[in-house]
Amino acid sequence: MIRVLLVDDQRLLRSGFRALLDLEDDIEVVGEAGDGLEGVALARQHLPDIALIDIQMPVVDGIEATRRIAADPALAGVHVVILTNYGFDEYVFEALRAGAAGFLVKDIMPEDFLHAVRVAARGDALLAPSITRKLIDRYVNQPLHTGSGSGTGLEELTNREREAVALVAQGLSNEQIADRMVISPLTAKTHVNRAMAKLHARDRAQLVILAYESGLVTPRGH
C-alpha cells in the first residue's frame, strides 16, 4: 500500500487529489495539511511514502518544508513531490536542491498523476528526461562550482559507479543504463543505489544535481 500525504493550502485542490487517490486499491491518503509546518508534523506522525507538497503556502512554504523533511533521518523514507502551477521554475529548482524527488504540475492528467505517484513510491525519482534537460539548462546558465569533485564524496565511488551516476545525470533509466554499460538492470540499479548511499543522496534528483555541481558531468556549452 502506497501511503500519501497531501500538503496544499487550497482545500479544493486537496479534495480533488484525494478523490483520485481514494479510488485506487494500492494507494491510501494518510493525512492532509494546509501549510508546511503542519505538513512536516504529519509526515513525522504518519511516515508516508509520498508527500505531495505545494510550493507557495502560508506559515512554512514548500521549499522549507521539503528541507526539514530531507534533514530528518527519521523521514528518510519519505519522497517529497512538489506541486506547482507553473512548471519548472526557480522555486522548483530550489525545492529539488532542498531534497525533493521531483515535481508535478497541478493541471496534470489524472492517469499521469497516478502513474507519477507510483513511480515516486518505487524510489525511481520523478525525473523524466525532459525534467533532467531543464535541470541541465539551469546549470548551463550558471558556472559549475567545481570540476574536480573533491569534497563531494565522488572519490569514494568505483569507476562503474561513477559511470552509472553520469548516465543518471543524462536522464537514463536503470534499464537504459544497463544497456549502455552492458550489464543487467539489477546490476545497474545496484551501482546507482550504492552511489546514492555513498554520496548521501536521497534520490536520483539529488544525484543529478550533485553530478553537475561536482563537475562529474559538464553541460554542453561549457
Side-chain angles (χ1 to χ4, degrees), residues 134-144 219-222:
K134 289 172 182 175
L135 270 175
I136 294 170
D137 290 342
R138 176 64 174 80
Y139 275 106
V140 167
N141 292 325
Q142 71 177 30
L144 293 171
R220 293 173 184 174
H222 280 278

Side-chain angles (χ1 to χ4, degrees), residues 9-184:
D9 62 333
Q10 299 180 50
R11 186 185 299 272
L12 184 60
L13 191 71
R14 293 203 314 268
S15 298
F17 281 142
R18 179 160 200 152
L20 277 174
L21 296 171
D22 282 345
L23 291 174
E24 303 301 306
D25 294 335
D26 61 333
I27 299 175
E28 175 188 10
V29 177
V30 296
E32 296 183 34
D35 63 72
L37 185 63
E38 183 185 7
V40 173
L42 287 179
R44 289 174 177 146
Q45 178 182 344
H46 295 292
L47 298 177
D49 301 299
I50 303 293
L52 295 170
I53 299 181
D54 186 27
I55 285 186
Q56 296 179 321
M57 293 183 295
V59 188
V60 169
D61 66 21
I63 295 174
E64 179 59 27
T66 298
R67 188 175 291 115
R68 294 182 187 185
I69 289 173
D72 189 339
L75 301 180
V78 179
H79 302 285
V80 174
V81 176
I82 291 296
L83 299 170
T84 176
N85 288 315
Y86 308 109
F88 193 92
D89 58 18
E90 185 67 24
Y91 293 110
V92 171
F93 178 78
E94 289 303 320
L96 290 171
R97 286 179 63 92
F103 77 96
L104 296 174
V105 180
K106 291 183 179 180
D107 63 357
I108 188 172
M109 295 295 291
E111 59 271 22
D112 293 335
F113 170 70
L114 294 170
H115 174 70
V117 168
R118 293 186 173 100
V119 167
R122 290 200 305 264
D124 298 338
L126 216 53
L127 217 64
S130 60
I131 298 174
T132 304
R133 283 195 295 271
K134 289 172 182 175
L135 270 175
I136 294 170
D137 290 342
R138 176 64 174 80
Y139 275 106
V140 167
N141 292 325
Q142 71 177 30
L144 293 171
H145 296 291
T146 176
S148 67
S150 60
T152 64
L154 289 177
E155 63 276 4
E156 297 182 19
L157 302 185
T158 66
N159 289 336
R160 295 296 265 173
E161 288 166 356
R162 280 173 174 255
E163 185 179 354
V165 171
L167 294 172
V168 168
Q170 295 176 31
L172 273 62
S173 67
N174 287 340
E175 289 74 18
Q176 292 168 323
I177 291 171
D179 288 342
R180 189 74 64 88
M181 295 178 67
V182 196
I183 55 179
S184 72

